[in-house]
Amino acid sequence: MNCRLKTLLAVLLLSSASIQAVERNANYKESPKYLALRDSVHHAFNDADSARFYTSVKKLEAYLLKQKDLHAYYTQRCNEIVFELNRQNIYEAYKLSCDMSRELTERKLDKEMYMAINMMGHIYNFSGNKESAKKCFWEVIRRMEQEGYSESLPPIYMNLVNIIIEDDPDEALRLIDQAASIARETSPEREFDIETRRTLAYYRKGDMERFLKGYKAYKAGEAKGLSSVHGRTLEVLYLAQQGKTDEAVRLASEKLESDHYSTMAELYAKAGRWKDAYNMLRKDIAESDSVNSIILSSSMQGIQDEVQRYEKDREAALRYVYALIAIACLLLLLVLALFYIVQARRLHMREMKKAYKRALESDKMKTAFIQNVSHEVRTPLNVITGFAQVMANPDNQLSAEERRTMADMMVHNTYRITNMINEVLMISVHESAAERKLTQIVCNDAFSKIVSNFYIGKDKEQAIEMRYESTLDDEFSIESEERVVRLILIQLLDNAVKNTTSGTITLKASITDNQLMLVVEDTGSGVPAHEAEHIFERFVKLDPFMEGLGIGLTFARTMAQRLGGDVKCDTSYQGTGARFVVMIPLT
């Protein structure tokens, strides 16, 4: 949530600058008809009235096309995307941006392509994908410099500053220098706001001497009637620098429209008031969770609409919708569980700083999990949606074999989504289960059936041989939880299949030091020694393109420890592939 309002403001500034550039050479913009259409769009935009806005903007776009002013036309298309971003309809904004990019490519309007790329940058930034946003903004700068749109460059540089300021203040200051240099020559009215942002960067860097000098310059400019969107934040940080933490917090609470909780947490942390900082951080996380939930719900609603539009079979479409709702509910439960854990940690003053750091780490893990799940859901859904569109198009003359192949791909990707939900549910349920159901397990019979019944998949069943080897007597048995033991072995075998393209996968059983030792060996890609423990952490995948959430090995170890044993990756194994060892006590 940090920079989203600032991002949208930057978008509007860029759009305004672009419009001004065109207005110099467009006489029609003095006409009463154009002014009426423009004002109608602005009023509807400011009122957030979607019905009025889209009616007005379409009329204005038609008028601009009639005037053959494509630059102004695509500026209004950008306003449609900004309107959807303001409503937090990320999916709709993304579709509009893709449509505009495709249209610009088809019309070979490379000169205006920077608009579509800029919109994608804001969408990525709004969604929390900073790296992709930075790539887009740098590409926008390159294209604008190439096409001579110099006066509109400073807002793009400031977008980059907003992204990197927390991680790299020095680089942010370098970008601010570039923006200020351009503004002096092309748009002096922006220079005061840029210099105010520079003063904030000095604070982030810890250069208080320059910060105070910049603050004095800001006050002098303010006395002359100048203003900056960063002025209120500057006033808050100045009070904090003067040691007036409570006044700074009160001003932040009253004046800052966004980021007030995170700013207050930072102020308390710098003052060493860790308990207050911790409480503000909890509020910031709760607010961020709320926004992320809205974004996620909005995106999923868009996906649901796409499925309903192109899917002929209503019952099949409903199954996809139910799956998406289940995922959203599960994510919500996980977020609430994390939030409850953070709230439950009430330690004395000495441990409060540690709790503060743990809350930050928890928030990062949650963001990584949401991005991981979002990727794992979006990929198969894109496949399903794409094939559904092809099959639903009456113009496509498809053979029965082609339809069967598409149906198989849709079923396979549906299974991928279902399996992902099952993995998360499985580890959640089993970790919380307290009751143990002990049964007598005849080892050779049970383990050989697991191997023989394990499904490798059609693409690998001819290339991989499954084996079971045992030094145990045929009548040997142990008393344990048979379901848990089976699930451990299934997770390890599944991991072996994912990482093996050809060769053998072997399950071995033996007795060592009054423990049952189960070994799974494969001839796959193997595991580097330095990653032997890292792979047992949640959501860790050595190959980021591998299917799954990265919790199979975590689940296997958790269940083994529940039985009093453990699961380890044998780093001393010299063969091809990897070797995982499960130790289960006999008593």
Side-chain angles (χ1 to χ4, degrees), residues 87 139 209 231 369 412 442 485 500 536 553-554:
R87 299 171 68 198
E139 177 63 16
E209 181 178 350
F369 173 69
H412 171 71
V442 180
V485 174
T500 304
F536 287 98
L553 292 179
T554 305

Side-chain angles (χ1 to χ4, degrees), residues 268-269 271-279 345-356 358:
Y268 282 132
R273 294 165 61 174
W274 300 108
K275 183 175 182 179
D276 293 329
Y278 173 69
N279 289 333
R345 296 176 184 270
R346 298 184 179 277
L347 303 175
H348 54 76
M349 199 64 185
R350 184 178 179 182
E351 296 179 349
M352 193 58 66
K353 186 175 180 179
K354 294 180 180 179
Y356 174 70
R358 283 197 297 271

Side-chain angles (χ1 to χ4, degrees), residues 60 77 173 257 269 345 370 411 417 463 482 544 548 550 555:
L60 179 56
R77 294 282 294 274
L173 285 170
E257 296 180 359
R345 296 176 184 270
I370 291 176
V411 170
I417 298 175
E482 182 175 2
F555 174 74

